[in-house]
């Protein structure tokens, strides 16, 4: 018999597409017009060419040497990228060897690798790779350790004449990074920090109180709004939150009529829902689906210290009265919450990628300079301390497999 997928016609032409790798012997008979016949025994070897490989995820700055392989077919083999691109800094030679140094963070691929053998047979595979690591530094302790990063960013604040020191960092679902400071400005970027736009925050009706939780800004793709709060009214307790929203990328702000939120300490956005948590002198957790034009108070008597939207859910730290408790709670909608874990230490902040969550440890009894990190790969259920205690940090955010600190 002929190999599977092949047929022979009356003219003796064999056609078709082989479907299995095999050596097949067959007998063919030819007959002329005088009915004379001749018979021959033949064999056909079918070589099934296949390419194998899966470039592992990498860390920023990793030196890579990875080999795609092939089986079947008839060598030698030649490899080529026929669609897509490899991670920045990597290249592949004709032998299928990927080499280079990862010089950019992000999710790369898919790219298509094609192998060709000496019989001109081809096979392809699609591959992807996540490159993660520190993206850049936006602020660090002047008395602590400076994190090693490929792009250490410092800015001159044109509003105050001082260095722009972010008091909050937020990353939207599409990768818009927004930073707020205590000097009345926010800076945002939608191209991984290549270009930044600075806009002024609104002037509060009350007296702004300069603290690390003084202001927080998020961008919502769903609503098309920047939303910010200012914690105001000097150092009195409790401090009141003023909420503003902007539909023109911060050029003009509208003040919310909501004035009932006290002691806000964090804000996060997920699919158009904005959730605000308050501290020990606050009114609990609130949520809004219209950019904080209106708000609803959730049933919550707990004292929170921050909130983050990570991997499709809100994560919050409960600190308790006197900052003695340190527990992680999760919420899918900001209304109800469930206990996730008892944290090993009190965290100054957390950030997450698609595969892990990083927690920066708060030092002492006050949320001063964070020290960390701790890492969780199960959504915050269990935590492992990183042997590397650098850097000291106060705010974290995750984007494209990288961390902003």
């Amino acid at each position: 018999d002929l190999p599977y997928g092949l047929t022979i016609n009356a003219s003796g032409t064999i056609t078709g597409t082989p479907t299995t790798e095999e050596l097949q012997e067959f007998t063919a008979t030819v007959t002329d017009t005088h009915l004379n016949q001749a018979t021959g025994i033949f064999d056909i070897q079918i070589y099934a060419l296949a390419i194998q490989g899966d470039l592992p995820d990498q860390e920023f700055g990793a030196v890579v040497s990875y080999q795609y392989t092939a089986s079947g077919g008839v060598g030698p083999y030649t490899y080529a990228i026929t669609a897509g691109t490899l991670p920045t800094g990597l290249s592949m030679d004709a032998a299928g060897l990927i080499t280079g140094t990862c010089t950019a963070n992000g999710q790369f691929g898919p790219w298509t690798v094609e192998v060709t053998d000496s019989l001109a047979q081809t096979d392809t595979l699609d591959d992807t790779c996540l490159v993660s690591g520190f993206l850049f530094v936006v602020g660090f302790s002047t008395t602590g350790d400076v994190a090693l990063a490929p792009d250490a960013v410092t800015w001159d604040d044109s509003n105050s004449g001082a260095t722009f020191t972010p008091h909050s960092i937020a990353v939207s679902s599409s990768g818009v990074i927004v930073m707020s400071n205590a000097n009345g400005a926010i800076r945002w970027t939608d191209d991984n920090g290549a270009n930044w736009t600075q806009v002024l925050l609104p002037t509060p009706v009350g007296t702004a109180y300069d603290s690390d939780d003084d202001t927080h800004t998020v961008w919502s793709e769903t609503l098309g709004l920047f939303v910010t709060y200012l914690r105001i009214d000097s150092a009195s307790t409790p401090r009141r939150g003023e909420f503003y929203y902007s539909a023109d990328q911060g050029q003009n702000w509208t003040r919310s009529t909501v004035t009932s939120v006290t002691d806000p300490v964090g804000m996060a956005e997920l699919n158009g829902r904005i959730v605000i948590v308050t501290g020990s002198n606050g009114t609990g957790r609130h949520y809004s689906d219209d950019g904080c034009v209106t708000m609803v108070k959730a049933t919550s008597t707990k004292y929170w210290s921050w909130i983050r939207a990570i991997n499709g859910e809100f994560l919050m730290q409960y600190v308790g009265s006197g900052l003695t408790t340190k527990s992680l709670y999760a919420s899918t909608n900001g209304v109800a919450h469930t206990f996730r874990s008892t944290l090993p230490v009190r965290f100054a902040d957390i950030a997450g990628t698609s595969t892990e969550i990083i927690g920066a440890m708060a030092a002492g009894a006050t949320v001063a300079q964070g020290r960390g990190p701790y890492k969780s790969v199960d959504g915050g259920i269990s935590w492992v301390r990183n042997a590397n205690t650098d850097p000291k940090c106060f705010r974290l955010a995750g984007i494209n497999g990288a961390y902003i600190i």
Side-chain angles (χ1 to χ4, degrees):
D1 294 330
L2 288 171
Y4 287 106
L6 301 184
T7 60
I8 186 169
N9 62 20
S11 299
T13 302
I14 296 176
T15 58
T17 301
T19 58
T20 59
E21 183 174 10
E22 60 179 319
L23 173 61
Q24 191 66 262
E25 183 180 276
F26 63 96
T27 301
T29 300
V30 60
T31 304
D32 65 13
T33 57
H34 297 288
L35 302 181
N36 297 311
Q37 292 185 328
T39 299
I41 298 176
F42 306 90
D43 59 68
I44 297 179
Q45 175 70 59
I46 303 299
Y47 296 96
L49 179 62
I51 186 173
Q52 298 90 28
D54 182 6
L55 179 64
D57 291 344
Q58 304 291 330
E59 293 289 328
F60 184 98
V63 178
V64 177
S65 178
Y66 180 80
Q67 179 69 58
Y68 287 110
T69 60
S71 61
V74 179
Y77 306 117
T78 302
Y79 299 80
I81 303 292
T82 58
T85 57
L86 292 168
T88 304
L90 303 185
S91 61
M92 187 186 75
D93 63 19
L97 178 65
I98 293 178
T99 57
T101 301
C102 297
T103 57
N105 295 286
Q107 179 68 55
F108 294 90
W111 62 86
T112 301
V113 186
E114 181 179 77
V115 62
T116 305
D117 70 359
S118 61
L119 300 178
Q121 296 184 101
T122 62
D123 189 35
T124 62
L125 66 77
D126 290 335
D127 204 356
T128 62
C129 178
L130 174 66
V131 180
S132 60
F134 289 112
L135 182 63
F136 49 78
V137 178
V138 297
F140 52 84
S141 167
T142 56
T143 59
D145 301 302
V146 179
L148 297 178
D151 182 14
V153 177
T154 57
W155 292 306
D156 175 65
D157 187 347
S158 58
N159 294 312
S160 65
T163 299
F164 186 99
T165 303
H167 279 185
S168 70
I169 307 172
V171 178
S172 73
S173 58
S174 66
V176 175
I177 306 167
V178 186
M179 302 180 187
S180 308
N181 75 352
N183 297 318
I186 68 171
R187 288 183 178 175
W188 63 273
T189 176
D190 58 4
D191 56 10
N192 277 356
N195 298 281
W196 292 86
T197 299
Q198 177 168 303
V199 295
L200 297 180
L201 288 169
T203 301
V205 175
T207 302
Y209 175 66
D210 186 7
S211 78
D212 290 316
D213 297 310
D214 189 43
T215 179
H216 197 114
T217 305
V218 297
W219 163 255
S220 171
E221 281 86 12
T222 303
L223 302 175
L225 296 174
F226 275 122
V227 180
T228 190
Y229 73 71
L230 305 175
R231 201 166 69 157
I232 62 170
D233 291 347
S234 70
S236 62
T237 301
R239 291 181 289 273
R240 185 166 52 88
E242 279 189 4
F243 293 85
Y244 296 82
Y245 52 92
S246 172
D248 56 6
Q249 299 178 327
Q251 299 303 310
N252 296 279
W253 296 89
T254 301
R255 181 170 177 259
S256 171
T257 58
V258 175
T259 59
S260 59
V261 179
T262 58
D263 200 21
V265 295
M267 178 166 61
E269 187 273 348
L270 185 63
N271 300 324
R273 171 154 291 188
I274 296 173
V275 180
I276 300 98
V277 295
T278 64
S280 58
N281 296 308
T283 50
R285 189 169 63 244
H286 298 71
Y287 61 92
S288 172
D289 294 323
D290 57 12
C292 293
V293 178
T294 60
M295 290 189 206
V296 179
K297 186 181 184 303
T299 302
S300 171
T301 58
K302 296 186 179 299
Y303 307 136
W304 310 101
S305 58
W306 45 252
I307 182 171
R308 285 290 188 184
I310 298 176
N311 295 330
E313 62 180 357
F314 294 104
L315 295 178
M316 302 161 283
Q317 179 175 248
Y318 167 53
V319 294
S321 178
L323 303 178
T324 56
T325 305
K326 44 189 186 297
S327 301
L328 185 68
Y329 283 78
S331 175
T332 58
N333 56 14
V335 180
H337 58 256
T338 58
F339 175 80
R340 179 63 53 86
S341 67
T342 298
L343 297 174
V345 294
R346 186 162 51 87
F347 287 153
D349 202 357
I350 63 170
T353 67
S354 60
T355 59
E356 65 186 18
I357 300 173
I358 296 295
M361 184 174 71
T366 61
V367 183
Q369 296 297 331
R371 187 79 170 178
Y374 278 76
K375 182 169 75 171
S376 173
V377 295
D378 54 11
I381 298 173
S382 58
W383 296 86
V384 176
R385 179 74 187 276
N386 192 325
N388 177 16
T389 59
D390 297 333
K392 290 185 176 180
C393 55
F394 182 70
R395 290 288 179 254
L396 297 172
I399 177 173
N400 296 333
Y403 295 103
I404 306 168
I405 63 173

